[in-house]
C-alpha cells in the first residue's frame, strides 16, 4: 500500500466539492437530440446522482458514472482511464457507466491525446480520484454508524463494518459529498488489483456496432448549416478572388466568402500549424448540395511562396546529408579518428516520404458562436489549445468558449492541430448560425500537416579486430531532422556522432503516430542488422551486447533509455519466437525500439509468394509497465504493427509544383485486410512499474522487422520507403 | 429535385432530393441515419457500406435515382438490439479501436455471411479488402467473421 498526498490535485477537488454543495444533481448537457444512449444494458438508472469529485458521481442505487477526461481517438483511454478510477474506488465494473468529460481545465489537467501519455500522466491522479472518493464514502458510513473508519472495509461498492453490517455506496453518497477531501490517501497494492489487468471490453463497443451517433461528423443541431472549405490547390498559394455566381444559384446554397482564420496580430500556438489560413468557404443546407456547388466555384489563386516538388526537396535533403553540421547534436570520443583507422566502413542512406494521416473520419467540427459565447463540439486531441485560439480570434473570453469532445474517428496526431475547429467558429460567427464544417477526403488529404519526408545516413566503423568502434548518423528532414541524439545505440559505442539538418518548406508538417520514431526505428534497426551481419554476429545477440555495454559501462551522458528494460523485451521475443530455429521457406527479421516510454521488440516471419512477402506471424514483446487493460493493449499493438507495415510498404505523398499528387484512396494506398499479417502474438514483461502508453510504440519496429526479413529472403537491403516500389524488383534467392 | 419513397430498415421514408444525391448523404443528412459513415466518397474505403436487396453496396456512390424500390438495410437496421451474429462477434472479439470504419466492416461481413455461411480466408479477403481500417483492426475483423460464422 502506498500513501499518497492528494495535495497536487487538491485545488480541483475543493472546487468541485464546494460547487457540489449538498448533493445537487448534475449532468452534462451532452450533445443534442440524437445523443447516443447512455445506459448499459440491464443497468437501472438512479433517481439521483451525487457528485463526489471531478471524476465521478454516484447514483442513489450505487451505479457509478466515471468521467473520462482525455480525448478518445481509438487509443482506448475511454475504457482504460475509468478502469483506474474504478479500481481505487473499489466498485464492480458492471455498475460503471463512462462518459466523456468536456474540456474543463479547473477540474482536470492535460486533457490531451498525444505522445501516448494519457495513461502515464493520468495514472496517479486517476488513482487518487478513486481512492479519495472511496475514503469519503467510508467516512460518511463511519459517521452514520458512529464507528471508526479503520473498522471498515470495502468490496465492489459495499462498505462493511467489522460487526457484519454493510451499506452500499449509493446509500451513503448523499452524505459523502459534504465530507472533507482527505489530505492523504492510501493507494492499493498492485497485487490487490481486481479491475486493472483484466481484459475489459471497449465501453463504446455496443454503441459502435449499432451505429449510434458518437462521432463529430454525426453531430446534428436544429438549424445547423453545413460549411465546406476550399483551400489552395498547392502549397504556397492563397485565394485571390472567387466568382461564385454559378454556385450561389445552386440548390440549398446560402453563402460563399473568403476567410482568414488567423489574422495578423493573433499569436499562433504550436497547435495552430496550418498551411492554408485563407480559405474560400461555401455554406449550404446539406453536405451533398455544398459538395456539388463547391465544384462550380471559380477561384483565382495567387502564389505567395515558391512551390516545392518531390524531386526538388529530395535533392535538397540529399545535399544536406553531405554537409557537416555546425554543431553536432551529440559527440562521444573521436569519431573522425575511429573512422580513419577503421578496417571496414559500412554506409547506408535511408529515406521516407511525406505521409498523410488519413484518419478514417475526415476533419470536421461543429460551432455555434453568438454574442454571449461559443459552443464547439467535435473531434480534437488538444481541446485546451483550440479554446485558447478560438477565444483570441473570436474575441470572447475563454470561459465563454465551451468545447465538448466527441468520439474521434482516428487521431494519429492529425487532430492535435485544430484549425478545423477554429474554422467552424470563424464561419459560425460570420454567418451567425450553428454550423458544421466538413472536409471531403480530398480536402483532408491535400491539407498538409503531414509526416515530414526524411533522410538519414548511417556509417559504422569496424576495426581490424572486428569490433564496432564508431557510428556516425546524419539526418535531414522537412522542418526537422528525424534523429534523436541520445537514443540507442548512443551510449553503447565509444565514438559516436549525431548531426541534424532541417529543410524549411511551405508544405506543413505535424506529429504523425510516433513522430520521427516511425522513420528512425526502420533506419536504425535495419542498419544494426547489417552491422551485425558484417561482424558475423546473430542480430539479437549483437543488440544485447550493445545494451550490456550501455548498462555496465555507458558512453557519454543522457542516454535516454533503460538498457535493462530494452534487453528484457529482446530476450522475451527471442524466447517466444523460438529464435534460431530454421523453417523451410520462412524468413525472419527482428527489430526493437524504445519510444514514448515503452519498449517493444518484434520478430516477423515471411514466406515469399510470387515475389511478394506474405507475413506469417509477428511476435511482439512489450514492456509498458503495468498493463491496465490487456485486451485494449493487444489491440493497440496489433493496430500499430499493421499500420506500421502498411505505411512502410505502400503509402506516400508526393508533390508537383506544390500540388499534392495523391488526393484520395484510389491513388494513396493504405494496407488492406489481405495484406495484414496472418497472426500477431503479444507478450508483456511483468515488472509492476507504473504504466506507459501503447498508442504509438507498437508501430515503429514493424517496418524494420519486415525489411530485415525481406533481406533474409532476397539478399537485398531495402532503404527507400514505400518499399513496394523496390520490392517489385526483388525476387527470392 | 424529385420525390423518393425509400425502403430503409423495413420502413418507408419519403423525401425530396436531387436524384444525383448519393444514398449516403440522404441517409446521413436528410434522414438522420448517421451510422453509415463517409470516408472517401469514391467507393474506395467501404465506410459507407449498406445492403441493397441483400448485396453490400457503397452508398457514397449510389445515387438515389438508382435505389428505386430496393430494400435498403443500414447498420441501424441490421438487428433490433445489436444482436446480429456479426455484431455479437464484433463485440465479443472487441474488434474496434476508433470505431469509425466498423459499421462498414460489419455490413460487408454480414453480406458475406448471408451468401457464404462458412467463408475461407480467401473469401474473407475478397469480401473485406474494400473496407479500410486505418487503426489496423484487420486481424480481429477476420477473427470476428469466423466467430460469427460459427454462431449461426
Ligand atoms: S465513403 Fe463510400 S467507399 Fe468510402
Ligand atoms: S477502427 Fe479506426 S478506422 Fe477502423
Amino acid at each position: 500500500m502506498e500513501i499518497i498526498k492528494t495535495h497536487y490535485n487538491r485545488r480541483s477537488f475543493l472546487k468541485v466539492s464546494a460547487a457540489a454543495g449538498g448533493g445537487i444533481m448534475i449532468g452534462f448537457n451532452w450533445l443534442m437530440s440524437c445523443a447516443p444512449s447512455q445506459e448499459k444494458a440491464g443497468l437501472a438508472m438512479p433517481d439521483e446522482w451525487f457528485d463526489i469529485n471531478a471524476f465521478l458521481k454516484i447514483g442513489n442505487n450505487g451505479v457509478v458514472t466515471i468521467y473520462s477526461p482525455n480525448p478518445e481517438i481509438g487509443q482506448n483511454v475511454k475504457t482504460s482511464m475509468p478502469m483506474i478510477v474504478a479500481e481505487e474506488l473499489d466498485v464492480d465494473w458492471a455498475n460503471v457507466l463512462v462518459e466523456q468529460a468536456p474540456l474543463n481545465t479547473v477540474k482536470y489537467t492535460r486533457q490531451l491525446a498525444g505522445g501516448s501519455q494519457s495513461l502515464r500522466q493520468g495514472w496517479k491522479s486517476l488513482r487518487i480520484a478513486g481512492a479519495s472518493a472511496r475514503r469519503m464514502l467510508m467516512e460518511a458510513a463511519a459517521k452514520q454508524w458512529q464507528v471508526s473508519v479503520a473498522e471498515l472495509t470495502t468490496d465492489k461498492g459495499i462498505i462493511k463494518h467489522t460487526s457484519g453490517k454493510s451499506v452500499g455506496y449509493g446509500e451513503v453518497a448523499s452524505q459523502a459529498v459534504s465530507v472533507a477531501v482527505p489530505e492523504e490517501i492510501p493507494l492499493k497494492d498492485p497485487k490487490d488489483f481486481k479491475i486493472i489487468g483484466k481484459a475489459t471490453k471497449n465501453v463504446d463497443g455496443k454503441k459502435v456496432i449499432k451505429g449510434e451517433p458518437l462521432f463529430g461528423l454525426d453531430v446534428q443541431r436544429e438549424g445547423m448549416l453545413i460549411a465546406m472549405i476550399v483551400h489552395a490547390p498547392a502549397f504556397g498559394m492563397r485565394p485571390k478572388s472567387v466568382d461564385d455566381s454559378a454556385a450561389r444559384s445552386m440548390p440549398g446554397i446560402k453563402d460563399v466568402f473568403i476567410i482568414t482564420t488567423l489574422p495578423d496580430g493573433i499569436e499562433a500556438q504550436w497547435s495552430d500549424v496550418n498551411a492554408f489560413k485563407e480559405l474560400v468557404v461555401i455554406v449550404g443546407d446539406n453536405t451533398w448540395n455544398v459538395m456539388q456547388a463547391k465544384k462550380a466555384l471559380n477561384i483565382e489563386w495567387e502564389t505567395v511562396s515558391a512551390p516545392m516538388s518531390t524531386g526538388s526537396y529530395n535533392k535538397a535533403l540529399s545535399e544536406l546529408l553531405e554537409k557537416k553540421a555546425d554543431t553536432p547534436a551529440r559527440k562521444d570520443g573521436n569519431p573522425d579518428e575511429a573512422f580513419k583507422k577503421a578496417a571496414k566502413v559500412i554506409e547506408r542512406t535511408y529515406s521516407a516520404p511525406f505521409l498523410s494521416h488519413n484518419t478514417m473520419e475526415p476533419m470536421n467540427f461543429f460551432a455555434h458562436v453568438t454574442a454571449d459565447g461559443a459552443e464547439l463540439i467535435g473531434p480534437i486531441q488538444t481541446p485546451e489549445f483550440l479554446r485558447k485560439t478560438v477565444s483570441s480570434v473570436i474575441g470572447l473570453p475563454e470561459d465563454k468558449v465551451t468545447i465538448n469532445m466527441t468520439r474521434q474517428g482516428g487521431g494519429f496526431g492529425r487532430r492535435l492541430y485544430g484549425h478545423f475547429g477554429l474554422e467552424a467558429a470563424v464561419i459560425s460567427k460570420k454567418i451567425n448560425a450553428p454550423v458544421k464544417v466538413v472536409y471531403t477526403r480530398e480536402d483532408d488529404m491535400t491539407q498538409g500537416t503531414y509526416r515530414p519526408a526524411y533522410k538519414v545516413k548511417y556509417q559504422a566503423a569496424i576495426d581490424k579486430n572486428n569490433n564496432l568502434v564508431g557510428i556516425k548518423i546524419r539526418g535531414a528532414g522537412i522542418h526537422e531532422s528525424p534523429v534523436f541524439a541520445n537514443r540507442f545505440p548512443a551510449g553503447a559505442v565509444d565514438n559516436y556522432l549525431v548531426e541534424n539538418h532541417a529543410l524549411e518548406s511551405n508544405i506543413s508538417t505535424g506529429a504523425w503516430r510516433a513522430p520521427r520514431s516511425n522513420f528512425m526505428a526502420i533506419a536504425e534497426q535495419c542498419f544494426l542488422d547489417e552491422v551485425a551481419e558484417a561482424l558475423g554476429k546473430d542480430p539479437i545477440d549483437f543488440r544485447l551486447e550493445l545494451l550490456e555495454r550501455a548498462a555496465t559501462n555507458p558512453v557519454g551522458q543522457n542516454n535516454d533509455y533503460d538498457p535493462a528494460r530494452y534487453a528484457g523485451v529482446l530476450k522475451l521475443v527471442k524466447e517466444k519466437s523460438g529464435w534460431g530455429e530454421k523453417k523451410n521457406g520462412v524468413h525472419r527479421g527482428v527489430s526493437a525500439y524504445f519510444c514514448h516510454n515503452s519498449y517493444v521488440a518484434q520478430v516477423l516471419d515471411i514466406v515469399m509468394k510470387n515475389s511478394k512477402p506474405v507475413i506469417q506471424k509477428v511476435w511482439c514483446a512489450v514492456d509498458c509497465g503495468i498493463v491496465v487493460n490487456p485486451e485494449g493493449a493487444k489491440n493497440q499493438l496489433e493496430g500499430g504493427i499493421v499500420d506500421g507495415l502498411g505505411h512502410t510498404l505502400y503509402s506516400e505523398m508526393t508533390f508537383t509544383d506544390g500540388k499534392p499528387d495523391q488526393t484520395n484512396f484510389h491513388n494513396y494506398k493504405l494496407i488492406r485486410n489481405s495484406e495484414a499479417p496472418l497472426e500477431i502474438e503479444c507478450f508483456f514483461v511483468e515488472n509492476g512499474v507504473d504504466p506507459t502508453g501503447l498508442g504509438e510504440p507498437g508501430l515503429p519496429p514493424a517496418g524494420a522487422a519486415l525489411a530485415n526479413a525481406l533481406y533474409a529472403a532476397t539478399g537485398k537491403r531495402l532503404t527507400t520507403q514505400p518499399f513496394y516500389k523496390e520490392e517489385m524488383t526483388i525476387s527470392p534467392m | 429535385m424529385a420525390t423518393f419513397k425509400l425502403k430503409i430498415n423495413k420502413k418507408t421514408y419519403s423525401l425530396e432530393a436531387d436524384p444525383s444525391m448519393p444514398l449516403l448523404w440522404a441517409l446521413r443528412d436528410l434522414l438522420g441515419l448517421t451510422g453509415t459513415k463517409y470516408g472517401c466518397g469514391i467507393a474506395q474505403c467501404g465506410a459507407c457500406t449498406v445492403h441493397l436487396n441483400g448485396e453490400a453496396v457503397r452508398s457514397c456512390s449510389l445515387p438515389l435515382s438508382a435505389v428505386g424500390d430496393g430494400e435498403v438495410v443500414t447498420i441501424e437496421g441490421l438487428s433490433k438490439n445489436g444482436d446480429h451474429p456479426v455484431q455479437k462477434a464484433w463485440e465479443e472479439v472487441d474488434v474496434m479501436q476508433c470505431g469509425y470504419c466498423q459499421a462498414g466492416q460489419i455490413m460487408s461481413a454480414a453480406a458475406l455471411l448471408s451468401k457464404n455461411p462458412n467463408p475461407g480466408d480467401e473469401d474473407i479477403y475478397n469480401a473485406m479488402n474494400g473496407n479500410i481500417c486505418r487503426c489496423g483492426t484487420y486481424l480481429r475483423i477476420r477473427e470476428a467473421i469466423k466467430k460469427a460464422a460459427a454462431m449461426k
Side-chain angles (χ1 to χ4, degrees), chain A residues 73-74 359-361 408-410 412, chain B residues 95-102 105 132-137 141:
Chain A
I73 56 176
T359 59
M360 283 311 290
E361 180 190 18
Q408 322 198 11
F412 313 113
Chain B
V95 173
M96 63 174 267
Q97 286 186 31
C98 81
Y100 191 80
C101 73
Q102 301 297 349
Q105 306 274 8
I132 297 176
C133 176
R134 165 77 218 265
C135 297
T137 63
I141 288 170

Side-chain angles (χ1 to χ4, degrees), chain A residues 287 357 441 643 671 673, chain B residues 29 37 39 97 134 138 142:
Chain A
T287 317
H357 290 83
R441 175 59 58 195
D643 200 22
I671 191 169
N673 195 315
Chain B
D29 285 359
K37 299 299 186 221
Q97 286 186 31
R134 165 77 218 265
Y138 295 131
R142 296 175 200 153

Side-chain angles (χ1 to χ4, degrees), chain A residues 549-571:
Chain A
R549 168 74 203 273
T552 52
N553 181 20
V555 183
Q557 306 282 312
N558 311 324
N559 301 323
D560 58 11
Y561 58 94
D562 176 342
R565 293 180 76 182
Y566 222 131
V569 290
L570 268 165
K571 286 177 192 157

Side-chain angles (χ1 to χ4, degrees), chain A residues 256-534:
Chain A
V256 178
F257 46 88
I258 294 179
I259 56 168
T260 301
T261 52
L262 266 184
D264 292 342
I266 303 276
E267 204 190 319
Q269 306 178 81
W270 67 269
S271 56
D272 291 322
V273 165
N274 183 4
F276 302 114
K277 298 185 177 84
E278 285 145 314
L279 301 164
V280 179
V281 176
I282 178 158
V283 185
D285 61 349
N286 68 51
T287 317
W288 178 249
N289 283 346
V290 176
M291 272 180 178
Q292 293 310 101
K294 192 178 169 194
K295 292 183 204 146
L297 291 171
N298 230 320
I299 306 168
E300 195 186 337
W301 305 96
E302 61 185 0
T303 301
V304 283
S305 60
M308 281 184 143
S309 294
T310 297
S312 65
Y313 62 71
N314 272 339
K315 185 160 169 275
L317 289 174
S318 295
E319 283 164 10
L320 284 174
L321 288 186
E322 297 312 311
K323 225 179 96 183
K324 253 190 143 27
D326 297 339
T327 10
R330 174 168 178 141
K331 187 176 171 187
D332 297 320
N334 191 338
D336 284 341
E337 194 60 26
F339 275 81
K340 213 178 287 163
K341 286 200 200 136
K344 187 174 180 187
V345 170
I346 304 172
E347 178 180 317
R348 197 62 84 169
T349 296
Y350 303 86
S351 65
F354 280 100
L355 292 177
S356 166
H357 290 83
N358 289 327
T359 59
M360 283 311 290
E361 180 190 18
M363 298 307 109
N364 66 84
F365 230 81
F366 170 87
H368 189 194
V369 176
T370 64
D372 307 326
E375 182 196 9
L376 280 86
I377 306 171
I380 178 77
Q381 290 178 248
T382 51
E384 190 177 344
F385 292 87
L386 174 62
R387 183 170 67 185
K388 195 155 179 250
T389 302
V390 166
S391 152
S392 34
V393 172
I394 298 294
L396 280 167
E398 278 193 51
D399 61 2
K400 291 276 187 292
V401 180
T402 64
I403 298 188
N404 276 303
M405 289 161 275
T406 56
R407 193 173 179 86
Q408 322 198 11
F412 313 113
R414 180 62 183 85
R415 297 188 217 273
L416 293 167
Y417 310 97
H419 58 88
F420 38 85
L422 174 64
E423 286 154 17
V426 170
I427 294 166
S428 173
K429 186 180 178 186
K430 174 142 176 107
I431 62 174
N432 197 17
V435 70
K436 182 166 68 182
V437 165
V438 177
Y439 274 53
T440 62
R441 175 59 58 195
E442 289 82 358
D443 296 333
D444 192 298
M445 201 181 285
T446 58
Q447 197 277 339
T449 329
Y450 302 122
R451 191 284 293 272
Y454 293 127
K455 285 188 193 295
V456 66
K457 182 164 80 179
Y458 271 86
Q459 292 170 299
I462 296 170
D463 72 7
K464 57 181 190 315
N465 301 322
N466 205 33
N467 287 317
L468 171 67
V469 290
I471 282 190
K472 288 185 180 182
I473 309 169
R474 190 180 283 162
I478 305 289
H479 299 303
E480 64 180 13
S481 167
V483 188
F484 297 91
N486 299 317
R487 282 203 182 160
F488 183 75
V493 182
D494 286 313
N495 303 289
Y496 199 82
L497 181 72
V498 177
E499 294 172 287
N500 286 329
H501 291 294
L503 181 70
E504 283 319 303
S505 168
N506 53 17
I507 302 173
S508 61
T509 61
W512 189 105
R513 197 174 194 178
R516 294 155 70 199
S517 304
N518 56 42
F519 169 65
M520 285 310 295
I522 297 167
E524 171 197 302
Q525 291 293 308
C526 287
F527 190 68
L528 290 182
D529 222 63
E530 190 167 354
V531 174
E533 189 188 34

Side-chain angles (χ1 to χ4, degrees), chain A residues 7-47:
Chain A
H7 275 268
Y8 78 95
N9 224 11
R10 192 168 168 74
R11 183 179 63 125
S12 74
F13 284 127
L14 286 177
K15 255 284 196 334
V16 173
S17 38
I24 351 148
M25 285 174 69
I26 62 150
F28 294 107
N29 198 0
W30 175 240
L31 295 193
M32 52 285 139
S33 50
C34 58
S37 59
Q38 296 294 0
E39 311 79 40
K40 204 166 179 172
L43 201 58
M45 285 298 101
D47 307 319

